[in-house]
Coordinates of all heavy atoms in Angstrom, one line a residue:
M637 N -41.4 49.9 -59.9 CA -41.8 50.5 -58.7 C -43.3 50.8 -58.8 O -43.9 51.1 -59.8 CB -41.1 51.9 -58.6 CG -41.8 52.8 -57.6 SD -40.9 54.3 -57.5 CE -40.2 53.9 -55.9
R638 N -44.0 50.5 -57.6 CA -45.5 50.8 -57.6 C -45.6 52.0 -56.8 O -45.0 52.3 -55.8 CB -46.1 49.7 -56.8 CG -46.3 48.4 -57.6 CD -47.2 47.3 -56.8 NE -46.9 47.2 -55.4 CZ -46.0 46.4 -54.9 NH1 -45.3 45.7 -55.7 NH2 -45.8 46.3 -53.6
L639 N -46.4 53.0 -57.4 CA -46.6 54.3 -56.8 C -48.2 54.4 -56.7 O -48.9 54.3 -57.7 CB -46.2 55.4 -57.6 CG -46.6 56.9 -57.2 CD1 -46.1 57.1 -55.7 CD2 -46.1 57.8 -58.1
T640 N -48.7 54.6 -55.5 CA -50.1 54.8 -55.3 C -50.3 56.2 -54.6 O -49.7 56.5 -53.6 CB -50.7 53.8 -54.3 OG1 -50.4 52.5 -54.8 CG2 -52.2 53.9 -54.1
V641 N -51.1 57.0 -55.3 CA -51.4 58.4 -54.7 C -52.8 58.5 -54.4 O -53.7 58.3 -55.3 CB -50.9 59.4 -55.8 CG1 -51.3 60.8 -55.3 CG2 -49.5 59.3 -56.2
D642 N -53.2 58.8 -53.2 CA -54.5 59.0 -52.7 C -54.7 60.5 -52.4 O -54.2 61.0 -51.4 CB -54.8 58.1 -51.4 CG -56.1 58.2 -50.9 OD1 -57.0 58.7 -51.6 OD2 -56.4 57.8 -49.8
G643 N -55.3 61.2 -53.3 CA -55.5 62.6 -53.1 C -55.4 63.3 -54.4 O -55.3 62.8 -55.4
T644 N -55.4 64.6 -54.3 CA -55.4 65.5 -55.5 C -54.0 66.0 -55.9 O -53.9 66.7 -56.9 CB -56.2 66.8 -55.2 OG1 -55.7 67.4 -54.1 CG2 -57.7 66.3 -54.9
V645 N -53.0 65.5 -55.2 CA -51.7 66.1 -55.6 C -51.3 65.5 -56.9 O -51.6 64.4 -57.3 CB -50.6 65.6 -54.5 CG1 -50.4 64.2 -54.4 CG2 -49.3 66.4 -54.7
N646 N -50.5 66.2 -57.7 CA -50.1 65.9 -59.0 C -49.2 64.6 -59.1 O -48.2 64.6 -58.3 CB -49.3 67.1 -59.6 CG -48.8 66.8 -61.1 OD1 -48.1 65.9 -61.3 ND2 -49.4 67.7 -61.9
K647 N -49.6 63.6 -59.8 CA -49.0 62.3 -59.8 C -47.5 62.4 -60.4 O -46.6 61.8 -59.9 CB -49.8 61.2 -60.5 CG -49.2 59.9 -60.4 CD -50.1 58.8 -60.9 CE -49.5 57.5 -60.7 NZ -50.4 56.4 -61.1
T648 N -47.4 63.3 -61.4 CA -46.0 63.5 -61.9 C -45.1 64.0 -60.9 O -44.0 63.6 -60.8 CB -46.1 64.4 -63.2 OG1 -46.9 63.8 -64.1 CG2 -44.7 64.6 -63.8
Y649 N -45.6 64.9 -60.1 CA -44.7 65.5 -59.0 C -44.3 64.3 -58.0 O -43.1 64.3 -57.6 CB -45.5 66.6 -58.2 CG -44.8 67.1 -57.1 CD1 -43.6 67.9 -57.3 CD2 -45.1 66.8 -55.7 CE1 -42.9 68.4 -56.2 CE2 -44.5 67.4 -54.7 CZ -43.3 68.1 -54.9 OH -42.6 68.7 -53.8
C650 N -45.3 63.5 -57.7 CA -45.0 62.4 -56.8 C -44.0 61.5 -57.4 O -43.1 60.9 -56.7 CB -46.3 61.6 -56.5 SG -47.4 62.6 -55.5
Q651 N -44.1 61.1 -58.7 CA -43.1 60.3 -59.4 C -41.7 60.9 -59.3 O -40.8 60.2 -59.1 CB -43.5 60.1 -60.9 CG -44.8 59.3 -61.1 CD -45.3 59.3 -62.5 OE1 -45.0 60.1 -63.3 NE2 -46.0 58.2 -62.8
N652 N -41.6 62.2 -59.6 CA -40.3 62.9 -59.5 C -39.7 62.8 -58.1 O -38.5 62.6 -57.9 CB -40.4 64.3 -59.9 CG -40.6 64.5 -61.4 OD1 -40.2 63.6 -62.2 ND2 -41.2 65.6 -61.8
L653 N -40.6 62.9 -57.1 CA -40.1 62.7 -55.7 C -39.5 61.3 -55.5 O -38.5 61.1 -54.8 CB -41.2 63.1 -54.7 CG -41.6 64.5 -54.5 CD1 -42.9 64.6 -53.7 CD2 -40.5 65.4 -53.9
C654 N -40.2 60.3 -56.0 CA -39.8 59.0 -55.8 C -38.5 58.7 -56.5 O -37.7 57.9 -56.0 CB -40.8 58.0 -56.3 SG -42.3 57.9 -55.4
L655 N -38.2 59.4 -57.6 CA -37.0 59.2 -58.3 C -35.8 59.7 -57.6 O -34.6 59.3 -57.9 CB -37.1 59.7 -59.7 CG -38.1 59.1 -60.7 CD1 -38.2 59.8 -62.0 CD2 -37.6 57.6 -61.0
I656 N -36.0 60.6 -56.6 CA -34.9 61.0 -55.7 C -34.2 59.8 -55.0 O -33.0 59.8 -54.9 CB -35.4 62.1 -54.7 CG1 -35.8 63.4 -55.4 CG2 -34.3 62.4 -53.7 CD1 -36.5 64.3 -54.5
F657 N -35.1 59.0 -54.5 CA -34.6 57.8 -53.8 C -34.5 56.5 -54.6 O -33.9 55.6 -54.1 CB -35.5 57.6 -52.6 CG -35.5 58.7 -51.6 CD1 -36.5 59.7 -51.6 CD2 -34.4 59.0 -50.8 CE1 -36.4 60.8 -50.8 CE2 -34.3 60.1 -49.9 CZ -35.4 61.0 -50.0
F658 N -35.1 56.4 -55.7 CA -35.1 55.2 -56.6 C -34.8 55.7 -58.0 O -35.5 55.6 -58.9 CB -36.4 54.5 -56.6 CG -36.9 54.0 -55.2 CD1 -37.8 54.8 -54.5 CD2 -36.3 52.9 -54.7 CE1 -38.2 54.3 -53.2 CE2 -36.7 52.5 -53.4 CZ -37.7 53.1 -52.7
P659 N -33.5 56.2 -58.2 CA -33.1 56.8 -59.5 C -33.2 55.6 -60.6 O -32.8 54.6 -60.3 CB -31.8 57.3 -59.4 CG -31.3 56.7 -58.1 CD -32.4 56.3 -57.2
G660 N -33.7 56.0 -61.7 CA -33.9 55.0 -62.8 C -34.9 54.0 -62.7 O -35.2 53.1 -63.5
A661 N -35.8 54.1 -61.7 CA -36.9 53.2 -61.5 C -37.9 53.4 -62.6 O -38.1 54.6 -63.0 CB -37.6 53.4 -60.1
K662 N -38.6 52.4 -63.1 CA -39.6 52.5 -64.0 C -40.9 52.7 -63.2 O -41.1 52.1 -62.2 CB -39.7 51.3 -64.8 CG -38.4 51.0 -65.6 CD -38.1 52.0 -66.6 CE -36.8 51.6 -67.4 NZ -36.0 52.7 -67.7
L663 N -41.8 53.5 -63.7 CA -43.1 53.8 -63.1 C -44.3 53.4 -63.9 O -45.0 54.3 -64.3 CB -43.1 55.3 -62.6 CG -42.1 55.6 -61.5 CD1 -41.7 57.0 -61.5 CD2 -42.6 55.2 -60.2
P664 N -44.4 52.2 -64.3 CA -45.6 51.8 -65.2 C -46.9 51.9 -64.4 O -46.9 51.9 -63.2 CB -45.3 50.4 -65.5 CG -44.5 49.9 -64.4 CD -43.7 51.0 -63.9
E665 N -47.9 52.1 -65.2 CA -49.2 52.2 -64.6 C -49.6 50.9 -63.8 O -50.2 51.0 -62.8 CB -50.3 52.4 -65.7 CG -50.3 53.8 -66.3 CD -50.7 54.8 -65.2 OE1 -51.5 54.6 -64.4 OE2 -50.0 55.9 -65.2
K666 N -49.2 49.7 -64.3 CA -49.5 48.5 -63.6 C -48.2 47.8 -63.4 O -47.6 47.2 -64.3 CB -50.4 47.6 -64.5 CG -51.8 48.1 -64.8 CD -52.7 48.1 -63.6 CE -54.1 48.5 -63.9 NZ -55.0 48.6 -62.8
E667 N -47.8 47.8 -62.1 CA -46.6 47.1 -61.8 C -46.9 45.7 -61.1 O -47.8 45.7 -60.2 CB -45.8 47.9 -60.7 CG -44.5 47.3 -60.3 CD -43.4 47.4 -61.4 OE1 -43.2 48.4 -62.0 OE2 -42.8 46.2 -61.6
P668 N -46.3 44.7 -61.5 CA -46.7 43.4 -60.9 C -46.3 43.3 -59.4 O -45.4 44.0 -59.0 CB -45.8 42.4 -61.7 CG -44.7 43.2 -62.2 CD -45.2 44.6 -62.5
E669 N -47.1 42.6 -58.6 CA -46.8 42.5 -57.1 C -45.6 41.6 -57.0 O -45.3 40.7 -57.8 CB -48.0 41.8 -56.5 CG -49.3 42.5 -56.5 CD -49.3 43.7 -55.6 OE1 -48.6 43.6 -54.6 OE2 -50.0 44.7 -55.9
G670 N -44.8 41.9 -55.9 CA -43.6 41.2 -55.7 C -42.8 41.8 -54.6 O -42.8 43.1 -54.6
E671 N -42.0 41.1 -53.9 CA -41.3 41.6 -52.8 C -40.1 42.4 -53.4 O -39.6 43.4 -52.8 CB -40.7 40.5 -51.9 CG -40.1 41.1 -50.6 CD -39.8 40.0 -49.7 OE1 -40.7 39.2 -49.3 OE2 -38.6 40.0 -49.2
A672 N -39.6 42.1 -54.6 CA -38.4 42.8 -55.1 C -38.8 44.2 -55.7 O -37.9 44.9 -56.1 CB -37.8 41.9 -56.2
V673 N -40.1 44.5 -55.8 CA -40.6 45.7 -56.4 C -40.8 46.7 -55.3 O -41.6 46.5 -54.4 CB -41.9 45.4 -57.2 CG1 -42.4 46.8 -57.8 CG2 -41.6 44.5 -58.3
P674 N -40.0 47.8 -55.3 CA -40.3 48.8 -54.2 C -41.6 49.5 -54.5 O -42.2 49.6 -55.5 CB -39.2 49.8 -54.4 CG -38.3 49.4 -55.5 CD -39.0 48.2 -56.2
S675 N -42.2 49.9 -53.3 CA -43.5 50.7 -53.5 C -43.6 51.9 -52.6 O -42.9 52.0 -51.6 CB -44.7 49.7 -53.1 OG -44.6 49.3 -51.7
V676 N -44.4 52.8 -53.0 CA -44.6 54.1 -52.3 C -46.0 54.4 -52.3 O -46.8 54.4 -53.4 CB -43.8 55.3 -53.0 CG1 -44.0 56.5 -52.2 CG2 -42.3 54.9 -53.0
F677 N -46.6 54.7 -51.2 CA -47.9 55.0 -51.0 C -48.0 56.5 -50.4 O -47.3 56.8 -49.4 CB -48.7 54.1 -50.1 CG -50.1 54.5 -49.8 CD1 -51.1 54.4 -50.7 CD2 -50.4 55.1 -48.6 CE1 -52.4 54.8 -50.4 CE2 -51.7 55.5 -48.2 CZ -52.7 55.4 -49.1
I678 N -48.7 57.4 -51.0 CA -48.8 58.8 -50.6 C -50.2 59.2 -50.5 O -51.1 58.9 -51.4 CB -48.1 59.7 -51.7 CG1 -46.7 59.3 -51.8 CG2 -48.3 61.2 -51.3 CD1 -46.0 60.0 -53.0
R679 N -50.6 59.8 -49.4 CA -51.9 60.3 -49.2 C -51.8 61.6 -48.4 O -50.8 61.9 -47.7 CB -52.9 59.4 -48.6 CG -52.5 59.2 -47.1 CD -53.6 58.3 -46.5 NE -53.0 57.6 -45.2 CZ -53.5 56.6 -44.7 NH1 -54.5 55.9 -45.3 NH2 -53.0 56.1 -43.6
H680 N -52.9 62.4 -48.6 CA -53.0 63.6 -47.8 C -54.4 64.0 -47.5 O -55.3 63.5 -48.1 CB -52.3 64.9 -48.5 CG -53.1 65.4 -49.6 ND1 -53.1 64.8 -50.9 CD2 -54.0 66.4 -49.7 CE1 -54.0 65.5 -51.7 NE2 -54.5 66.5 -51.0
R681 N -54.6 64.8 -46.4 CA -55.9 65.2 -46.0 C -55.8 66.7 -45.6 O -54.7 67.2 -45.3 CB -56.5 64.4 -44.9 CG -55.8 64.5 -43.6 CD -56.4 63.6 -42.5 NE -55.7 63.5 -41.3 CZ -55.7 64.5 -40.4 NH1 -56.5 65.5 -40.5 NH2 -55.0 64.4 -39.3
E682 N -56.9 67.4 -45.6 CA -56.9 68.8 -45.3 C -58.0 69.1 -44.2 O -59.0 68.4 -44.1 CB -57.2 69.6 -46.5 CG -56.4 69.4 -47.7 CD -57.0 69.8 -49.0 OE1 -58.0 70.6 -48.9 OE2 -56.4 69.4 -50.0
D683 N -57.7 70.1 -43.4 CA -58.7 70.4 -42.3 C -59.2 71.9 -42.5 O -59.9 72.4 -41.7 CB -58.2 70.2 -40.9 CG -57.1 71.2 -40.6 OD1 -56.6 72.0 -41.3 OD2 -56.6 71.1 -39.4
G684 N -58.9 72.6 -43.7 CA -59.2 73.9 -43.9 C -58.2 74.9 -43.5 O -58.2 76.0 -43.9
V685 N -57.4 74.5 -42.6 CA -56.3 75.4 -42.1 C -55.0 74.8 -42.5 O -54.1 75.6 -42.9 CB -56.4 75.5 -40.5 CG1 -55.1 76.4 -40.1 CG2 -57.6 76.2 -40.1
S686 N -54.8 73.5 -42.5 CA -53.5 72.9 -42.8 C -53.7 71.7 -43.7 O -54.8 71.1 -43.8 CB -52.8 72.4 -41.4 OG -52.5 73.5 -40.7
V687 N -52.6 71.2 -44.3 CA -52.7 70.0 -45.0 C -51.7 69.0 -44.4 O -50.6 69.4 -43.9 CB -52.3 70.2 -46.5 CG1 -51.0 70.8 -46.7 CG2 -52.4 68.9 -47.3
F688 N -52.1 67.7 -44.2 CA -51.3 66.7 -43.5 C -51.0 65.6 -44.6 O -51.9 65.1 -45.3 CB -52.1 66.1 -42.4 CG -52.6 67.1 -41.4 CD1 -53.8 67.7 -41.6 CD2 -51.8 67.5 -40.4 CE1 -54.3 68.7 -40.7 CE2 -52.3 68.5 -39.5 CZ -53.5 69.1 -39.6
A689 N -49.8 65.2 -44.7 CA -49.4 64.2 -45.8 C -48.7 63.1 -45.1 O -48.0 63.2 -44.0 CB -48.5 64.8 -46.8
E690 N -48.9 61.9 -45.7 CA -48.2 60.7 -45.2 C -47.6 60.0 -46.4 O -48.3 59.8 -47.5 CB -49.2 59.8 -44.5 CG -48.6 58.5 -44.0 CD -49.6 57.6 -43.4 OE1 -50.8 57.8 -43.5 OE2 -49.1 56.6 -42.8
A691 N -46.4 59.5 -46.3 CA -45.8 58.7 -47.4 C -45.2 57.4 -46.7 O -44.6 57.5 -45.6 CB -44.6 59.4 -48.0
V692 N -45.5 56.3 -47.3 CA -45.0 55.0 -46.8 C -44.2 54.4 -48.0 O -44.7 54.2 -49.1 CB -46.2 54.0 -46.5 CG1 -45.7 52.7 -46.0 CG2 -47.1 54.7 -45.4
M693 N -42.9 54.1 -47.7 CA -42.1 53.5 -48.6 C -41.7 52.1 -48.2 O -41.4 51.8 -47.0 CB -40.8 54.2 -48.8 CG -40.9 55.5 -49.5 SD -39.3 56.2 -49.8 CE -39.7 57.7 -50.7
E694 N -41.8 51.1 -49.1 CA -41.4 49.7 -48.9 C -40.4 49.2 -49.9 O -40.6 49.5 -51.1 CB -42.6 48.8 -48.9 CG -43.7 49.1 -47.8 CD -44.9 48.2 -47.8 OE1 -45.0 47.5 -48.8 OE2 -45.6 48.2 -46.9
E695 N -39.4 48.5 -49.4 CA -38.4 47.9 -50.3 C -37.9 46.6 -49.6 O -37.4 46.7 -48.6 CB -37.2 48.9 -50.5 CG -36.3 48.3 -51.5 CD -35.1 49.3 -51.8 OE1 -34.7 50.0 -50.9 OE2 -34.7 49.4 -53.0
G696 N -38.3 45.5 -50.3 CA -37.9 44.3 -49.7 C -38.8 44.1 -48.3 O -40.0 44.3 -48.3
S697 N -38.0 43.8 -47.3 CA -38.8 43.6 -46.0 C -38.8 44.9 -45.2 O -39.3 45.0 -44.1 CB -38.1 42.5 -45.1 OG -36.7 42.9 -44.9
R698 N -38.2 46.0 -45.7 CA -38.2 47.3 -45.0 C -39.4 48.1 -45.3 O -39.8 48.1 -46.5 CB -36.8 48.1 -45.3 CG -35.7 47.2 -44.8 CD -34.4 48.1 -44.7 NE -34.7 49.2 -43.8 CZ -34.1 50.4 -43.9 NH1 -33.3 50.6 -44.9 NH2 -34.4 51.3 -43.0
R699 N -39.9 48.8 -44.3 CA -41.0 49.7 -44.5 C -40.8 51.0 -43.6 O -40.5 50.8 -42.4 CB -42.3 49.0 -44.0 CG -43.5 49.9 -44.1 CD -44.7 49.1 -43.6 NE -45.8 50.1 -43.4 CZ -47.0 49.9 -43.9 NH1 -47.2 48.8 -44.8 NH2 -47.9 50.7 -43.7
E700 N -40.9 52.2 -44.2 CA -40.7 53.4 -43.5 C -41.8 54.4 -43.8 O -42.3 54.4 -44.9 CB -39.3 54.0 -43.7 CG -38.1 53.2 -43.3 CD -38.0 53.0 -41.8 OE1 -38.6 53.8 -41.1 OE2 -37.2 52.2 -41.5
C701 N -42.1 55.2 -42.8 CA -43.2 56.2 -42.9 C -42.6 57.6 -42.7 O -41.7 57.8 -42.0 CB -44.3 56.0 -41.9 SG -45.2 54.4 -42.1
G702 N -43.1 58.6 -43.4 CA -42.9 59.9 -43.3 C -44.0 60.8 -43.2 O -45.1 60.4 -43.8
F703 N -43.9 62.0 -42.6 CA -45.1 62.8 -42.4 C -44.8 64.3 -42.7 O -43.6 64.7 -42.5 CB -45.7 62.7 -41.0 CG -46.1 61.3 -40.6 CD1 -45.2 60.5 -39.9 CD2 -47.3 60.8 -40.9 CE1 -45.5 59.2 -39.6 CE2 -47.6 59.5 -40.6 CZ -46.8 58.7 -40.0
G704 N -45.7 65.0 -43.2 CA -45.5 66.4 -43.5 C -46.8 67.2 -43.2 O -47.9 66.7 -43.3
E705 N -46.6 68.4 -42.6 CA -47.7 69.2 -42.2 C -47.4 70.6 -42.6 O -46.3 71.1 -42.1 CB -48.1 69.0 -40.8 CG -49.2 70.0 -40.3 CD -49.5 69.9 -38.9 OE1 -48.9 69.0 -38.1 OE2 -50.3 70.7 -38.3
V706 N -48.2 71.3 -43.2 CA -48.0 72.8 -43.5 C -49.3 73.5 -43.4 O -50.4 72.9 -43.7 CB -47.3 73.0 -44.9 CG1 -45.9 72.5 -44.9 CG2 -48.2 72.6 -46.0
A707 N -49.2 74.8 -43.1 CA -50.4 75.7 -43.0 C -50.7 76.3 -44.4 O -49.8 76.7 -45.0 CB -50.3 76.7 -41.9
F708 N -51.9 76.3 -44.8 CA -52.3 76.9 -46.1 C -51.9 78.4 -46.1 O -51.5 78.9 -47.2 CB -53.8 76.8 -46.4 CG -54.3 75.4 -46.7 CD1 -55.2 74.8 -45.9 CD2 -53.7 74.8 -47.8 CE1 -55.6 73.5 -46.3 CE2 -54.2 73.5 -48.2 CZ -55.1 72.9 -47.4
A709 N -51.9 79.1 -45.0 CA -51.7 80.5 -45.0 C -50.2 80.8 -45.3 O -49.9 81.9 -45.7 CB -52.0 81.0 -43.6
S710 N -49.4 79.8 -45.3 CA -47.9 80.0 -45.5 C -47.6 80.0 -47.0 O -46.4 80.2 -47.4 CB -47.1 79.0 -44.8 OG -47.3 79.0 -43.4
F711 N -48.5 79.6 -47.8 CA -48.3 79.4 -49.2 C -49.3 80.2 -50.1 O -50.4 80.4 -49.7 CB -48.3 77.9 -49.6 CG -47.3 77.1 -48.9 CD1 -47.5 76.6 -47.6 CD2 -46.1 77.0 -49.6 CE1 -46.5 75.9 -47.0 CE2 -45.1 76.3 -48.9 CZ -45.3 75.7 -47.6
P712 N -48.8 80.6 -51.3 CA -49.7 81.4 -52.2 C -50.9 80.7 -52.7 O -51.9 81.3 -53.1 CB -48.8 82.0 -53.3 CG -47.6 81.0 -53.3 CD -47.5 80.4 -51.9
T713 N -50.8 79.3 -52.9 CA -51.9 78.5 -53.5 C -52.0 77.3 -52.6 O -51.1 76.8 -52.0 CB -51.6 78.2 -54.9 OG1 -50.5 77.3 -55.0 CG2 -51.4 79.3 -55.8
K714 N -53.2 76.7 -52.7 CA -53.5 75.4 -52.1 C -52.6 74.3 -52.6 O -52.1 73.5 -51.9 CB -55.0 75.1 -52.2 CG -55.4 73.8 -51.7 CD -56.9 73.5 -51.9 CE -57.2 72.1 -51.5 NZ -58.6 71.9 -51.8
D715 N -52.5 74.3 -53.9 CA -51.7 73.2 -54.6 C -50.2 73.3 -54.1 O -49.6 72.2 -53.9 CB -51.7 73.4 -56.1 CG -50.9 72.4 -56.8 OD1 -51.3 71.2 -56.7 OD2 -49.9 72.8 -57.5
R716 N -49.7 74.5 -53.9 CA -48.3 74.5 -53.5 C -48.2 74.0 -52.1 O -47.2 73.3 -51.7 CB -47.9 76.0 -53.5 CG -46.4 76.3 -53.1 CD -45.6 76.3 -54.4 NE -44.3 76.6 -54.1 CZ -43.6 77.7 -54.3 NH1 -44.2 78.7 -55.0 NH2 -42.4 77.9 -54.0
A717 N -49.2 74.2 -51.2 CA -49.2 73.8 -49.8 C -49.2 72.2 -49.8 O -48.5 71.6 -49.1 CB -50.3 74.4 -49.0
V718 N -50.1 71.7 -50.6 CA -50.2 70.3 -50.7 C -48.9 69.6 -51.2 O -48.5 68.7 -50.6 CB -51.4 69.8 -51.7 CG1 -51.4 68.3 -52.0 CG2 -52.7 70.2 -51.0
R719 N -48.4 70.1 -52.3 CA -47.0 69.6 -52.8 C -46.0 69.7 -51.7 O -45.2 68.8 -51.6 CB -46.7 70.4 -54.1 CG -47.5 69.9 -55.3 CD -47.0 70.5 -56.5 NE -47.3 71.9 -56.5 CZ -46.5 72.9 -57.1 NH1 -45.4 72.6 -57.7 NH2 -46.9 74.1 -57.0
T720 N -45.9 70.8 -51.0 CA -44.8 70.9 -49.9 C -45.0 69.8 -48.9 O -44.1 69.2 -48.4 CB -44.9 72.3 -49.4 OG1 -44.6 73.3 -50.5 CG2 -43.8 72.5 -48.4
A721 N -46.2 69.7 -48.3 CA -46.5 68.7 -47.3 C -46.1 67.3 -47.8 O -45.5 66.5 -47.1 CB -48.0 68.8 -46.9
V722 N -46.5 67.0 -49.0 CA -46.3 65.7 -49.7 C -44.8 65.5 -49.8 O -44.2 64.5 -49.5 CB -47.0 65.5 -50.9 CG1 -46.5 64.3 -51.8 CG2 -48.5 65.3 -50.7
G723 N -44.1 66.5 -50.2 CA -42.6 66.5 -50.4 C -41.9 66.2 -49.1 O -41.0 65.4 -49.1
H724 N -42.4 66.9 -48.1 CA -41.8 66.6 -46.8 C -41.9 65.2 -46.3 O -41.0 64.6 -45.7 CB -42.2 67.6 -45.7 CG -41.8 68.9 -45.9 ND1 -40.4 69.3 -45.8 CD2 -42.4 70.2 -46.1 CE1 -40.3 70.6 -46.0 NE2 -41.5 71.2 -46.2
A725 N -43.1 64.7 -46.5 CA -43.5 63.3 -46.1 C -42.6 62.3 -46.9 O -42.0 61.3 -46.3 CB -44.9 63.0 -46.3
V726 N -42.5 62.5 -48.2 CA -41.7 61.6 -49.0 C -40.2 61.7 -48.6 O -39.5 60.6 -48.5 CB -41.9 61.8 -50.5 CG1 -40.9 61.1 -51.4 CG2 -43.4 61.5 -50.9
L727 N -39.7 62.9 -48.4 CA -38.3 63.1 -48.0 C -38.0 62.3 -46.7 O -37.0 61.7 -46.6 CB -38.0 64.5 -47.9 CG -36.5 64.9 -47.7 CD1 -35.7 64.5 -49.0 CD2 -36.4 66.4 -47.4
E728 N -38.9 62.5 -45.8 CA -38.7 61.9 -44.4 C -38.7 60.3 -44.5 O -37.8 59.6 -44.1 CB -39.7 62.3 -43.4 CG -39.5 61.7 -42.0 CD -40.6 62.1 -41.1 OE1 -41.1 63.3 -41.1 OE2 -41.0 61.3 -40.2
A729 N -39.6 59.7 -45.3 CA -39.7 58.3 -45.5 C -38.5 57.8 -46.2 O -37.9 56.8 -45.9 CB -41.0 57.9 -46.2
G730 N -38.1 58.6 -47.3 CA -36.9 58.1 -48.0 C -35.7 58.2 -47.3 O -34.8 57.3 -47.4
E731 N -35.5 59.2 -46.5 CA -34.3 59.3 -45.6 C -34.2 58.2 -44.6 O -33.1 57.7 -44.4 CB -34.3 60.7 -44.9 CG -33.1 61.0 -44.1 CD -33.1 62.4 -43.5 OE1 -34.1 63.1 -43.6 OE2 -32.0 62.7 -43.0
K732 N -35.3 57.8 -44.0 CA -35.3 56.7 -43.1 C -35.0 55.4 -43.8 O -34.2 54.6 -43.3 CB -36.7 56.6 -42.4 CG -37.0 57.7 -41.5 CD -38.4 57.4 -40.9 CE -38.8 58.5 -39.9 NZ -40.3 58.3 -39.5
L733 N -35.6 55.2 -45.0 CA -35.3 54.0 -45.7 C -33.9 53.8 -46.3 O -33.3 52.8 -46.2 CB -36.4 53.9 -46.9 CG -36.4 52.6 -47.7 CD1 -37.0 51.4 -46.9 CD2 -37.2 52.6 -48.9
R734 N -33.4 54.9 -46.8 CA -32.1 54.9 -47.5 C -30.9 55.4 -46.6 O -29.8 55.2 -47.0 CB -32.1 55.8 -48.7 CG -33.1 55.3 -49.8 CD -32.6 54.0 -50.3 NE -33.5 53.3 -51.3 CZ -33.0 52.9 -52.5 NH1 -31.8 52.9 -52.8 NH2 -33.9 52.4 -53.3
G735 N -31.3 56.0 -45.5 CA -30.2 56.4 -44.6 C -29.6 57.8 -44.9 O -28.7 58.2 -44.2
E736 N -30.0 58.4 -45.9 CA -29.6 59.7 -46.4 C -30.6 60.4 -47.2 O -31.5 59.8 -47.8 CB -28.2 59.7 -47.1 CG -28.3 58.9 -48.3 CD -27.0 58.8 -49.0 OE1 -26.1 59.7 -48.8 OE2 -26.7 58.0 -49.8
A737 N -30.5 61.7 -47.2 CA -31.4 62.6 -48.0 C -30.5 63.4 -48.9 O -29.4 63.8 -48.5 CB -32.3 63.4 -47.2
P738 N -31.0 63.8 -50.1 CA -30.2 64.7 -51.0 C -30.0 66.1 -50.3 O -31.0 66.6 -49.6 CB -31.1 64.7 -52.2 CG -32.4 64.5 -51.8 CD -32.3 63.5 -50.6
P739 N -29.0 66.7 -50.5 CA -28.7 68.0 -49.9 C -29.7 69.1 -50.4 O -29.9 70.1 -49.8 CB -27.3 68.4 -50.3 CG -26.9 67.5 -51.4 CD -27.8 66.2 -51.3
W740 N -30.4 68.9 -51.6 CA -31.3 69.9 -52.1 C -32.7 69.7 -51.6 O -33.6 70.4 -52.0 CB -31.3 69.8 -53.6 CG -31.7 68.5 -54.3 CD1 -32.9 68.1 -54.5 CD2 -30.8 67.5 -54.6 NE1 -32.9 66.8 -54.9 CE2 -31.6 66.4 -55.1 CE3 -29.4 67.3 -54.6 CZ2 -31.0 65.2 -55.6 CZ3 -28.8 66.1 -55.0 CH2 -29.6 65.1 -55.5
G741 N -32.9 68.6 -50.8 CA -34.2 68.4 -50.2 C -35.3 68.0 -51.2 O -35.0 67.1 -52.0
I742 N -36.5 68.7 -51.2 CA -37.6 68.2 -52.0 C -37.5 68.8 -53.4 O -38.5 68.6 -54.1 CB -38.9 68.4 -51.3 CG1 -39.2 69.9 -51.1 CG2 -39.0 67.5 -50.1 CD1 -40.6 70.1 -50.6
L743 N -36.6 69.7 -53.7 CA -36.5 70.4 -55.0 C -36.4 69.3 -56.1 O -35.4 68.5 -56.0 CB -35.4 71.4 -55.1 CG -35.5 72.6 -54.1 CD1 -34.3 73.4 -54.3 CD2 -36.7 73.3 -54.4
T744 N -37.3 69.3 -57.0 CA -37.2 68.3 -58.1 C -37.1 69.0 -59.4 O -37.4 70.2 -59.6 CB -38.4 67.4 -58.2 OG1 -39.6 68.1 -58.4 CG2 -38.6 66.5 -57.0

């Protein structure tokens, strides 16, 4: 599996989110290109009030996007807000790609 993270969110957290939908996937630093290799692209941006996240999952010829948005004021730390927005984006993209989401949501 190829994982690309654009932003300051913890990469290990992103890997754990990906494993919800791709259990047992290997996450090497350099994954060879190929259609058989699933890929996930995660990025986020901030505007001072909220954080906006996007996740794009590709597997074979299928491609799905998910989005997350949370207000910083709703969380005790900036990092927690970023992780929550990213988690919602990955959960939405994975649910669209796989047709189901885990009952525990983004808890890893």
